[in-house]
Amino acid sequence: MRLYTLTTLLLLLGLFSTNLLAQNPKENITISGYIKDGESLETLVGANVIIKETNVGATTNVYGYYAMQIPKKADSITLMVSYIGYVIEEKRVWAGEDINYTFELSASAEVLAEVVITEDVNRQLIEKNQMGVQQITSQKLKTIPVAFGESDILKVVQLAPGVQSGSEGTSGFYVRGGGYDQNLILLDEATVYNPDHFFGFFSTFNSDIIKNLDIYKSDFPARYGGRLSSVLDVQMKDGNMRKWEGQGGIGLISSRFMVEGPLVKDRSSIVLSGRRTYFDIFTPLINNAVANSDAGGAGFNQIPDYYFYDLNLKANYILGDKDRIFVSGYFGRDNLSIAFGIGEDSSYKLQWGNLTGTLRWNHIFSPKLFSNTTFNISRFLYQDEFSFSDFFFFRSSSRNFTYNFKQDFDYYAKNNHNIKFGLQATHHIIQPTEFTFGTNSDDEDLSTEPIFEEQKHIGEELAVYVSDDWKINSWFSLKMGLRYSGFLTKGGKTFYSNLEPRMALNYQMNEKTSIKASYARMSQYLNQVKFSYMSFLDPWFPANDFIAPQLADQVSVGWNRLIFNDQVSITNEYYYKWMYNQLEYKNGAEFLFIDGNYHERLAVGKGFSYGTEVQIQKTEGKLTGWLAYTLSWTQRDFPELSEELFPFTYDRRHVVNLVTQYELPKNWLISLNWTYQTGIAFDITDQYLWLWGINFSDSGGIPEYQPQINNFRMPPYHRMDVGAIKKFKKRKKWESELAISVYNAYNRANPFFIYQDIEQPAEG
């Protein structure tokens, strides 16, 4: 029955698209095209096109394409195009037939133009019904102070309202009470399973190649699915089609570069970026120096050799007026190794990393129908190896593979109807555990056959969706969406399916104030239960006969207001989220998943999260930035673990984030961040069952689990970062800048973890 329902929806979607293609009202004409940066021909996402005579407008999609309709007439009209940081451009065109026109905007240095564009952006905030979204550009990334001189998009995301960080300095984030695994992270539409370098202190994203990113916390567009709490959609730059240029940077622990340029001028481009740390260059020198000194010797513990690197590549080609192809990819790896004693062949090696690849084809079937066909792959690999003097070895690994096909359509039915629809098919191969151990001695009496164990799960995830962004009148707009998703386990033993309705409305009270509301249901078929602070150690596993998919319902209401001559916006949202089929490890559960019965180690429960978020943002003038405050409660209900509701680990009652930048004379820009967060909750006990062995040294304490989970809180977390950027004058073809950042400027001693010292009782 469920397969029949999915087939029926696919057929209806096909009939629906055929009907859309057949429509061709003769009384209207369609104006369409692209909006690009005039210097590089990089497409601009979210640029605005307005017909001055009628005030009818459109916004470019993620590929820079726009389309709108006007009544056919034997006269001309004026198109006005704007985008923040660019000069407004106007074009007079004849309105007697369909028009395809591409705009190339010039960067603006005039304050007046920036003011006009900022007002236009703020007007979109009032007019659009989208809630719970934060947009961050590459320019904003580079002005925020960071640790070790490395711009990090996930550190910036943590400063958004409703987004909470994990441990000190790490890139992990938790959105509106959701878990770490409930964030869908996309890089050019390919899934990134683990976005961390250096045990979470850096993200896998090199900010030099980032074009734009959006994070959705509620009111999820119907084209997204598979996670409960958020969507982080990161787009890479396309590359300069007109000239070759490069940039790079040298930091305290890493260096980076980026080069871009045309393969065929005005038709094709390529961009390549890379980054690498150089810890491993210095650690052998330090280890050898200490080992050979008086302080060295047998008791010397080596500093591990460690480094990470990542590479990004993207190329695209304009085949014609209606077709364009993109190829992009990412490869990153962390490597750590420890030698146990100088000169001995005993070591521990650890590696983890991501690989993604994306192939996309943009096609314009008609001025009103834009198509994007995507095939992408994702892989995450974690593996470690322990070797002891060429005698004993142990290897373990965890792998995720994803092969994904997507077909998305944008149909500009009318100016008040923007319809999106499509389908997705994903093939998952999940290997949560694989290990080999044995001996490799030359002595036949000591040598044994290696023992090999593995788990492997295969699943098929399918989805179809449709949404309509409907502007009913000048004051009221409605967005309706429906997503149908399904998950089929290996062999077709189990099939889960879910209808995921999405709805959002916006009532514009006046030109400066709007009220919004939304509802969204999300489903998640892959799980990752946190066992440790290092996320890459926690394996993923799919829904199966014993574990149902996670579900979430979220309602949000809020309002937006423009003040101070429309230069400052205030956003206030209230939300409540219900989460079902949540998973936690049972008390005393083993971590290794080696027998396939991992469901027996897990408890199933519910989650609740509610709160309010306030953000005051200034986007124009010498002083820019935002102040955000989040008040929230997040609880879990697991009858098998606790008779009472207990707080989620990252239930932070109060979170305050201040982000500011100020322009000074002589091309100086200073910036400041300050954050305050209530401490996280975790388990602590003062009751232990003490076991005595035959020898006194054999004794040990076993904690007795308390009825109240997460009964202790760490102290509040707060920190201030400051930075300064100096842009030097351009000399011939070279531009340079100096960036200085101070992380934790007032040296706050924030706790990273709590260690509980157990006092051994007296014998007898």
Side-chain angles (χ1 to χ4, degrees), residues 122-133 219 476-477 503-509 513-519 555-561 570-574:
N122 287 336
R123 187 174 71 250
Q124 285 189 51
L125 182 66
I126 298 297
E127 294 178 352
K128 286 189 173 182
N129 47 29
Q130 183 70 57
M131 295 184 67
V133 64
D219 183 17
F476 188 75
S477 60
M503 180 176 292
L505 57 87
N506 178 24
Y507 176 66
Q508 188 175 341
M509 301 178 65
T513 308
S514 65
I515 299 175
K516 301 181 181 183
S518 70
Y519 164 77
V555 294
S556 303
V557 295
W559 57 275
N560 298 92
R561 173 73 178 173
I570 302 177
T571 301
N572 183 203
E573 293 187 16
Y574 300 82

Side-chain angles (χ1 to χ4, degrees), residues 672-683:
L672 179 147
N673 303 339
W674 183 76
T675 183
Y676 172 91
Q677 304 175 22
T678 300
I680 65 172
F682 66 99
D683 286 329

Side-chain angles (χ1 to χ4, degrees), residues 390-409:
D390 281 337
F391 175 70
F392 174 80
F393 69 91
F394 176 90
R395 304 186 191 100
S396 68
S397 64
S398 179
R399 294 178 175 87
N400 290 358
F401 295 91
T402 296
Y403 303 89
N404 178 255
F405 172 80
K406 294 171 56 182
Q407 179 60 65
D408 302 303
F409 294 97

